[in-house]
Amino acid sequence: MLAIIKFVFNQKTIFSFQAKIIFIILLLFSCSKKYYENDLFGSWKGQYENKEMVFTFNNDRNFKLSIKDLITESNEIIDGIYKLNFTKKPMPLSLSNIKQLNHPLHTIVEFMGDDSIRLGDFSPSWRVRNISFEQNRNFVLKRLKQFE
């Protein structure tokens, strides 16, 4: 009889421990900040493969991407319209109507707090856009303050 009581008590203890772990995991996921389109508005700056980039997202869905080659010091600017799907993680970002290119660009974006975002490599086709971040194949942009 004592063995049965110990067995039942151990089963309840294990179940209680598992329930607490599941609760903590759910709490962590539910407490993560939800981001909205207005969180993206503004300018973001970062470096990738000897290039300095400044990405500006406007509230009218227009964007401007300035790319400065840090070796040759040449500048390239592309602009157009962006579309970002906030319902998916990571969020797919599509850049279209780019006057300087004859094709759109597609990538993924992830907020890393209020003042930084991570972008994956760009692809000319949405079908081959990354669906997750690969090591050493992404870059981080930091939000520029209004007066920088």
Side-chain angles (χ1 to χ4, degrees), residues 24-58:
I24 291 170
I25 291 170
L26 290 174
L27 186 64
L28 289 173
F29 280 111
S30 67
C31 291
S32 62
K33 181 174 179 183
K34 185 160 178 78
Y35 291 95
Y36 300 96
E37 191 167 10
N38 61 343
D39 294 317
L40 185 68
F41 299 155
S43 295
W44 305 80
K45 184 178 182 179
Q47 290 185 7
Y48 183 62
E49 294 182 352
N50 294 319
K51 295 185 181 358
E52 180 181 80
M53 293 180 265
V54 177
F55 222 133
T56 302
F57 296 96
N58 298 317

Side-chain angles (χ1 to χ4, degrees), residues 11 36 64 81 86 107-108 132 134 137 143 145 147:
Q11 292 298 320
Y36 300 96
K64 177 179 161 184
I81 297 172
F86 282 83
T107 188
I108 51 176
S132 63
E134 297 177 27
R137 304 291 297 162
R143 183 184 297 278
K145 303 299 179 204
F147 299 106

Side-chain angles (χ1 to χ4, degrees), residues 31-144:
C31 291
S32 62
K33 181 174 179 183
K34 185 160 178 78
Y35 291 95
Y36 300 96
E37 191 167 10
N38 61 343
D39 294 317
L40 185 68
F41 299 155
S43 295
W44 305 80
K45 184 178 182 179
Q47 290 185 7
Y48 183 62
E49 294 182 352
N50 294 319
K51 295 185 181 358
E52 180 181 80
M53 293 180 265
V54 177
F55 222 133
T56 302
F57 296 96
N58 298 317
N59 61 359
D60 61 358
R61 301 221 179 213
N62 285 307
F63 78 90
K64 177 179 161 184
L65 175 58
S66 175
I67 304 167
K68 178 181 180 181
D69 189 308
L70 297 174
I71 297 172
T72 65
E73 296 200 17
S74 62
N75 285 317
E76 183 179 352
I77 295 175
I78 64 171
D79 57 351
I81 297 172
Y82 72 90
K83 182 179 180 183
L84 188 59
N85 184 344
F86 282 83
T87 63
K88 296 183 179 179
K89 294 212 188 260
M91 297 173 280
L93 171 65
S94 295
L95 308 175
S96 61
N97 294 359
I98 303 170
K99 302 169 195 120
Q100 299 81 2
L101 301 174
N102 61 0
H103 58 81
L105 294 173
H106 304 277
T107 188
I108 51 176
V109 178
E110 175 183 59
F111 279 91
M112 300 175 65
D114 292 340
D115 293 325
S116 60
I117 56 176
R118 176 166 60 160
L119 282 83
D121 279 347
F122 287 99
S123 167
S125 171
W126 66 271
R127 290 182 185 267
V128 294
R129 163 187 18 218
N130 289 340
I131 58 171
S132 63
F133 291 99
E134 297 177 27
Q135 190 173 5
N136 300 325
R137 304 291 297 162
N138 58 77
F139 55 99
V140 175
L141 301 176
K142 302 273 186 196
R143 183 184 297 278
L144 288 176

